[in-house]
Amino acid sequence: MSKNQALVICISGPSGVGKDTVITRLRRLNPDMWLSVSATSRKPREREIDQKDYFFLTEEEFQHRIEAGEILEYDRFCGAYYGTPRTAVEEKLAEGRDIIMDITVKGALAIKEALPEAVTIFLLPPDLDTLRMRLSARGTETEEAIEARLAKAQSEIDQATKFDHTVTNRDLDQCVAEIKEIIRQEKSRRIADVN
Ligand code: 5GP
C-alpha cells in the first residue's frame, strides 16, 4: 500500500456513537496520524470551520467534483453528500503517513474495495437509548434531525459484521485502548508480511 506500512483506518458507526472524540484521542496518541478532511453539502454547524472540519460545498459544487473524479468515495447521509477528496489521500499515502477517516458504512466499504489493506473499524453504541441521549446532549441537531439519524442507526449497525473490527464505545478510555491495540496488531502484521 505504501512505503512504510502506513495504515488507512476507517472509523464508522452511527451518528452520536463518539467517532469524533475517539478519533481526537487516537490522534493525540499518534500526532503523525492524518485526518482526512471530507467534503459535504450539509450546512456548517455553529462552531464548524470551512476546510478544517469539512470542505463545505453546495450540492452543485459537490456533483461537479464527483464528475471531475476528485472524490475517492461518497455517500448520501440524511439528505446531504459526504465524500473523501482524492488528491490529499493519495499524497499522504505517498508520504507513508497513517490516515484516519470518519466515514459512513458505504464509504468505508468503498475504501476497502479501492485499498484492500485499509482497516475498517465499526464503533457500536452500548444501546440505542444511549445513542439518543448522546445525540440530544450534543445539542447540534434539531429533534427532527436526531430522529432521522436514529432511524439510520439501526441499518448501519446491521452492517457492522462487514467490518474488519467492531468495538463498543461503552467507556471512552476502554474503547480507545482497544482501537490502539488493533492498530498495533495491524502494524506488526504488515511488518511481518514485509520481512
Ligand atoms: P456529520 O453530519 O455528523 O458530520 O456526519 C454524518 C455522517 O457522515 C457520519 O456518519 C460521518 O462518519 C459521515 N462522513 C463524514 N465524512 C464522510 C466522507 O468523507 N465520506 C463518507 N462516506 N461519509 C462521511
Side-chain angles (χ1 to χ4, degrees):
M1 172 168 52
S2 62
K3 289 178 267 189
N4 56 3
Q5 295 86 45
L7 290 181
V8 176
I9 303 152
C10 298
I11 305 281
S12 296
S15 185
V17 75
K19 297 184 293 279
D20 265 359
T21 315
V22 167
I23 289 172
T24 302
R25 290 277 292 268
L26 289 169
R27 291 178 68 213
R28 229 178 269 155
L29 293 170
N30 179 0
D32 213 37
M33 183 182 273
W34 180 75
L35 172 65
S36 170
V37 179
S38 301
T40 184
S41 65
R42 87 149 157 71
K43 297 274 170 288
R45 294 179 186 134
E46 210 178 2
R47 268 181 282 277
E48 285 180 328
I49 299 168
D50 188 31
Q51 300 183 32
K52 176 175 173 286
D53 295 296
Y54 279 105
F55 294 98
F56 291 102
L57 306 175
T58 63
E59 291 262 315
E60 294 70 30
E61 284 168 341
F62 203 111
Q63 282 159 2
H64 282 138
R65 294 202 187 194
I66 296 171
E67 283 157 22
E70 292 172 16
I71 304 290
L72 183 58
E73 64 68 40
Y74 70 94
D75 196 1
R76 297 282 300 177
F77 182 90
C78 293
Y81 280 112
Y82 292 81
T84 307
R86 180 189 300 278
T87 312
V89 169
E90 289 175 351
E91 283 171 5
K92 301 299 167 191
L93 273 181
E95 288 169 17
R97 297 264 306 265
D98 288 344
I99 300 178
I100 193 156
M101 296 177 180
D102 176 340
I103 193 164
T104 59
V105 169
K106 182 179 164 214
L109 299 178
I111 292 288
K112 184 83 183 171
E113 202 166 309
L115 304 167
E117 289 180 58
V119 180
T120 56
I121 301 175
F122 192 92
L123 288 191
L124 283 164
D127 50 65
L128 287 178
D129 283 345
T130 308
L131 202 59
R132 181 187 293 276
M133 260 163 35
R134 287 181 186 167
L135 272 173
S136 299
R138 200 163 81 173
T140 54
E141 250 62 46
T142 60
E143 241 349 277
E144 196 187 353
I146 290 176
E147 288 312 318
R149 282 168 182 250
L150 284 169
K152 182 103 179 153
Q154 189 59 56
S155 67
E156 291 173 309
I157 291 169
D158 290 344
Q159 300 193 69
T161 53
K162 296 180 182 164
F163 281 66
D164 298 324
H165 305 273
T166 52
V167 177
T168 302
N169 188 11
R170 191 180 309 277
D171 171 81
L172 181 62
D173 288 339
Q174 173 70 24
C175 175
V176 170
E178 280 180 44
I179 298 178
K180 195 178 144 201
E181 177 57 16
I182 289 170
I183 293 173
R184 192 192 64 74
Q185 286 181 9
E186 293 281 358
K187 284 250 178 212
S188 48
R189 192 166 61 75
R190 280 161 177 72
I191 290 165
D193 286 350
V194 166
N195 294 328

